[in-house]
Amino acid sequence: MQGKQLPKWNEIPPGGAILEPGNSVKRPTGDWRTFRPIIDKEKCVRCLLCWVYCPDAAIKIIDEPYRTASGKEWKFSVEVDYTFCKGCGICVEECPVKAIEFVEEVK
Ligand code: SF4
Ligand code: SF4
């Protein structure tokens, strides 16, 4: 918010309501992160539970085929959108095959 004028108390909508739907794209939350989820495409079974549970819609579906080292063919993969991933770790907890590593963010 540095250099940006904050609204005065009487300019804030009653109840702090957000009146502009979809405004989250203007507010990248990636710089909140202290830990970074990293998806292992080899272990991932494409169940999309991480996509379902991510509160920031920061799991992207990559529509490209992927072949694992053992020869398994997948039609798509999942990746983390680090612009919006705030590092809450929910995807790490929910992944049923532990395919997401959670590593400390290094700036
Ligand atoms: S750590 Fe949280 S915000 Fe980031 S991708 Fe996982 S669930 Fe989404
Ligand atoms: S929850 Fe785990 S296995 Fe399922 S799509 Fe996400 S990373 Fe892959």
Side-chain angles (χ1 to χ4, degrees), residues 39 44-50 78 95-97 99-100:
I39 297 173
C44 170
V45 293
R46 276 66 173 175
C47 66
L48 294 182
L49 281 177
C50 53
V78 288
C95 176
V97 293
I100 311 177

Side-chain angles (χ1 to χ4, degrees), residues 79-104:
E79 280 181 6
V80 177
D81 182 344
Y82 293 112
T83 304
F84 293 102
C85 166
K86 64 185 178 220
C88 66
I90 292 173
C91 58
V92 179
E93 287 296 317
E94 296 299 335
C95 176
V97 293
K98 303 292 170 214
I100 311 177
E101 195 185 354
F102 212 27
V103 299
E104 197 166 354

Side-chain angles (χ1 to χ4, degrees), residues 40-44 46 62-78:
D40 183 340
K41 287 184 185 176
E42 292 287 314
K43 280 192 197 168
C44 170
R46 276 66 173 175
I62 307 298
D63 202 12
E64 284 171 8
Y66 182 85
R67 186 184 170 91
T68 66
S70 63
K72 172 91 181 145
E73 304 268 2
W74 294 107
K75 292 188 176 162
F76 68 94
S77 292
V78 288

Side-chain angles (χ1 to χ4, degrees), residues 11-12 15 102:
E11 293 168 347
I12 297 172
F102 212 27

